[in-house]
Structure formats: structure tokens, C-alpha cells
Amino acid sequence: MKKLIRLQVNGEAHELAVNPDETLLQVLRGQLDLIGPKKGCDSGGCGCCTVELDGKAIYACMKYAASADGGEITTAEGLSQDGELHVIQQAFVDAGAVQCGYCTCGMMMAARQLVDTVENPGEDEIRQAISGNLCRCTGYVNIVKAVQHAAATTDRDGE
Amino acid sequence: MSLPNISDYHVPDNAEDAIALLKQYGDSAMIVAGGTFVHGLEVRGVLGDIEALIDIGRLGLDGIEFGADGLRLGATAVFAQLEAHAAIGDDPAFGAIVDALACPPTQIRNTGTVAGCLAASAPLYDLPAALLALDGAAEVLGDSGRRTIPLCDFFTGLFENALQPHEIITSISLPKLPPGTVSAFLKLETNANDLAIINVAVRFTLDGDACRDCRIIVGGGVGETYVRAAGAEAALEGAPAGDAGFEAAAAAVTNDIDPVTDHRGSREYRRHIAGIYTRRALDNALARFG
């Protein structure tokens, strides 16, 4: 029996009918056409499905949508505001941290909290933040640089 | 392998309703907390008999309390909440919890729950080893009321535990440990997302320079459930903290465990590493003292 749930996704309110074991990943991609979160392993091992739920990075592939009723979700699509790239998106572009791009959305969502809260994270700290995200292209080097740069250039005075 | 057949997802708002739902469905319902373990079961095709999921995330069981008689971890408190709690992070006695929680990636730390991790009853997980070393107990609610199950009696086999049908864990209680108690946890893994090849949780209380009330728990690929390394504990009990006592405990661990050979490692490798990791965990625990 489908369940009716309410989700706030990238600032927009939605009322959705979901199957009892439908995951957030299925709902975001299948019902809301948000393709930032991707289906890689579908079992919480690769990280390319990473989104934020109530401000915390989670694997959308293993979160039952019905359990997220009332939650606020941010996907990679929700990072840019008014047509301007988020500092973390710009940093990934500038650092050459994107090759095939499949891991990129998940990487940014996993690192976003660190970027927002720590001005000069060390390499170990960054690698810890993205330890749940696999990249098969880049070797992570430029991803780490992108996160460092994003953290350093985040406007903290304006908050 | 069977296709999932789940027709209902219930989100009760009180524990009595959750128990009533469990009774109603019998074997065809499964409790969900964070959802990571249950989802893992579903994608592996082993939930064919499950018709309903009962979510215990809205029962208000996510608190963490620290008082005179110890620490109480709410069933649905997520790992990140434990990490952020001063009573856990600041107390060297709970070092093993801090170490265990540092292992999983951010996404799991924001989702995995204390009770879910325990109820999964897999020796491959990390937090349960730490909670065993700290003499934790599961506070349980069922249709016949409340009871307490010491964690040393909780795990009865691989994916099997002492919970009766119609029972849920409501919290995990950890006793207040004497001053001078330290603990640590170490995990051998191939990457942050993988399960333990071997993990070790240790705890002891320094009495002068002697180690008392020693606990050494080994998990990972060591069989159906966590192993209490009684021989290693006996070797450590009363011994002075440091090289000699720790080496004796590390050497004794290899006889306490009967590891498996699987794709993560051979039994000989696990036996070897268990000794090394026991020694390192003891060193790490001692470093927390004072």
C-alpha cells in the first residue's frame, strides 16, 4: 500500500505517494527527475547517491522514503542559488576534480558540511569526510584539492 | 534469492503500537531503525517472507543520558549523536566507543543506530564490540513488559539474538566504570565502507600500575559472534600495564579465537593480526590514561 509523504526538496515542498520499500534515491530520480544522486551500487558502498537529509549527508539508496517523511532534502541540484554555482561546485570545476562525473555529485554532498564548518581542513580530515565515496577516475587528488579550496574560499563573514 | 514482497511501511508513534504491530504480523514483519541493515538484506534478496516494515524512528528513543549510574544510549540514537556527546568523547573509559564510531563513513554515521547495529547481530560490526567491552546491556520492551539483556548474553549466533518475537530494544545501558578505566577499539578493514577483517575492543582499570577488570573482545571474521578472549583477559588481569602484560595478552588471544577463512583473509592471517591488534589496542587504551 502506498504511503503519502511530505518532503522539502531543494527548497520546494512536495507531497508524494511512495511504495513502502521505495528508497529516497528512487523517489528523487523517479518521481522528481533529480539525477544528481545516482544509482551506483545501490547498497551504501559507493556514495554516488549521497544527498543531505536535514542537513546531514546520507546514502539515498538505503534510506526508505517513508522514513524520511517531513524531512528536508538537498541534492547536488540544490547547491547553486539564483544561477550561481555554490563555492564547492566552482572549486570542483577549477581544480579539475571532475572526469567522468559519476561520483561528483555525491562527493560534493558528502564534503559540503566540512566545507561549511571548517575553514582549513587538513588532508586527513577531507579524506575522512569523503571516505564513503568512491572515485574510479581521479585518484582523489584533485577532489581533495577542490574541497580544500572550497573550504578556504567559503564566505564565512557573510553568515 | 527472492523478490521483495513488502506491502506496508508502518511508522508508529509509540512503543506499545510498535509491539502490537509486531504481534499482528508475527514473522512477516521486520523492525527498521536507520534502515541500512534492512535495506542491505532486501537488496540481497533475503526478505522474501517480510510483508511489513515497522519503523521505530519516531518513538522518541533517540536520547543519550549520562547520570550517576552510567550512560544510557537510546535505541535510535545515530552514531553521529554519540560522537558529538561530551560524556562519551571526554571520558577515557568510553574510548572504545569513540574509536569504533570513527570507522564508518559520514553517511553511515548519520544514519546507523545503536540498536540497529546491535540487533543485526553480525560480529563484523564495530560498535557492538566496544559496547561488549564496556559491559553494556540491552533494555528491551515487549508485550510481557520490560527486561534487561546483558550484551554478553545477547548474541546467540550469526544474525541471531536473544530478543523474543514482539520485543524491541529501547536503549543500551552502560554502567559507570571506576576512575582509571580506559578502553580502545581497533579495526582492520580494506576501506572505510568494508566490514572488519578483525576488530578488537579492550578495556581495563588501572589499579596502581596493575590492570584490573580486563575485557578483550574480538570480532570480524571470527565465527558466528564476537569472542570474549578469556585467556587473554586472564593473562592481563593483575599484570602491570605495559610491554610485558600486553604482550602476554596479545600472545594469548590467538588461542582464544577460531577465525574463518574467507575473501577478506585467511584464518592464519586473522589469527596473526588479532594478536597485533590486541597489543595496539591495549597501548592505545593506556595512552588515554591520565
Side-chain angles (χ1 to χ4, degrees):
Chain A
M1 192 161 113
K2 286 199 189 247
K3 282 190 84 76
L4 208 59
I5 64 168
R6 284 182 172 77
L7 296 176
Q8 182 100 343
V9 184
N10 296 333
E12 279 183 22
H14 296 275
E15 199 172 81
L16 303 155
V18 301
N19 286 325
D21 60 344
E22 197 163 346
T23 64
L24 262 187
L25 183 65
Q26 289 171 312
V27 169
L28 293 169
R29 290 182 63 87
Q31 295 200 40
L32 299 179
D33 292 331
L34 290 166
I35 55 169
K38 304 194 190 306
K39 182 175 176 176
C41 69
D42 205 25
S43 53
C46 75
C48 67
C49 68
T50 305
V51 300
E52 280 179 356
L53 173 61
D54 298 332
K56 305 289 184 191
I58 63 158
Y59 291 135
C61 73
M62 43 162 53
K63 187 72 179 171
Y64 289 114
S67 78
D69 187 14
E72 282 186 31
I73 292 158
T74 309
T75 70
E77 286 92 339
L79 287 173
S80 60
Q81 297 290 322
D82 304 319
E84 295 263 318
L85 289 185
H86 188 282
V87 65
I88 198 170
Q89 291 170 306
Q90 190 64 54
F92 267 67
V93 169
D94 294 341
V98 182
Q99 286 182 217
C100 80
Y102 208 75
C103 77
T104 304
C105 292
M107 282 286 180
M108 292 190 299
M109 299 318 295
R112 210 271 281 256
Q113 194 181 354
L114 183 69
V115 164
D116 280 354
T117 54
V118 180
E119 188 164 353
N120 281 304
E123 181 175 342
D124 278 354
E125 213 173 342
I126 294 172
R127 285 182 181 269
Q128 261 276 68
I130 59 170
S131 70
N133 295 70
L134 297 179
C135 172
R136 310 315 286 147
C137 296
T138 68
Y140 304 94
V141 175
N142 284 351
I143 292 174
V144 171
K145 286 184 184 167
V147 175
Q148 266 167 345
H149 188 67
T153 54
T154 290
D155 178 10
R156 296 176 200 283
D157 301 325
E159 273 148 281
Chain B
M1 267 292 274
S2 51
L3 288 176
N5 191 24
I6 294 169
S7 55
D8 277 295
Y9 191 100
H10 297 282
V11 190
D13 60 16
N14 66 80
E16 287 66 36
D17 285 355
I19 306 292
L21 282 164
L22 270 176
K23 286 186 71 172
Q24 178 195 322
Y25 280 102
D27 284 342
S28 62
M30 183 162 274
I31 295 286
V32 177
T36 61
F37 183 67
V38 174
H39 180 265
L41 293 176
E42 194 176 355
V43 300
R44 284 167 179 80
V46 298
L47 286 193
D49 294 338
I50 300 297
E51 291 170 18
L53 298 176
I54 303 170
D55 187 321
I56 59 166
R58 314 253 173 166
L59 305 184
L61 298 176
D62 58 347
I64 298 172
E65 292 154 28
F66 186 61
D69 54 348
L71 190 61
R72 182 173 301 266
L73 308 173
T76 58
V78 298
F79 300 160
Q81 280 174 259
L82 271 66
E83 271 196 310
H85 202 280
I88 295 170
D90 293 347
D91 192 339
F94 296 135
I97 296 178
V98 172
D99 294 341
L101 295 175
C103 295
T106 308
Q107 295 91 328
I108 295 294
R109 274 183 270 135
N110 286 331
T111 312
T113 64
V114 178
C117 188
L118 281 162
S121 306
L124 302 157
Y125 284 359
D126 305 323
L127 183 64
L131 298 177
L132 275 164
L134 297 170
D135 295 344
E139 306 297 335
V140 168
L141 176 68
D143 60 344
S144 33
R146 294 185 182 274
R147 66 186 181 117
T148 301
I149 308 175
L151 290 183
C152 54
D153 299 328
F154 184 81
F155 303 108
T156 56
L158 186 61
F159 306 131
E160 289 172 10
N161 59 54
L163 289 173
Q164 294 299 309
H166 326 153
E167 280 187 325
I168 63 169
I169 299 172
T170 55
S171 65
I172 302 300
S173 58
L174 299 176
K176 188 145 177 65
L177 296 169
T181 302
V182 291
S183 70
F185 168 90
L186 213 50
K187 172 187 184 183
L188 179 66
E189 55 185 354
T190 56
N191 64 65
N193 247 330
D194 202 8
L195 302 168
I197 299 169
I198 273 283
N199 63 30
V200 182
V202 302
R203 160 204 143 200
F204 54 89
T205 303
L206 271 168
D207 176 19
D209 62 348
C211 300
R212 302 271 176 224
D213 288 334
C214 306
R215 304 281 185 273
I216 298 176
I217 307 293
V218 186
V222 290
E224 300 223 320
T225 185
Y226 300 91
V227 174
R228 182 156 173 189
E233 289 177 4
L236 187 62
E237 191 68 35
D243 281 340
F246 291 177
E247 275 307 312
V253 149
T254 53
N255 294 326
D256 289 328
I257 60 173
D258 187 21
V260 301
T261 290
D262 66 13
H263 62 284
R264 288 191 181 84
S266 69
R267 61 189 279 115
E268 293 77 20
Y269 176 62
R270 286 187 158 103
R271 212 185 276 284
H272 181 73
I273 294 290
I276 294 172
Y277 269 44
T278 298
R279 174 61 208 258
R280 287 189 194 170
L282 290 167
D283 287 336
N284 292 348
L286 183 62
R288 290 192 152 108
F289 179 72

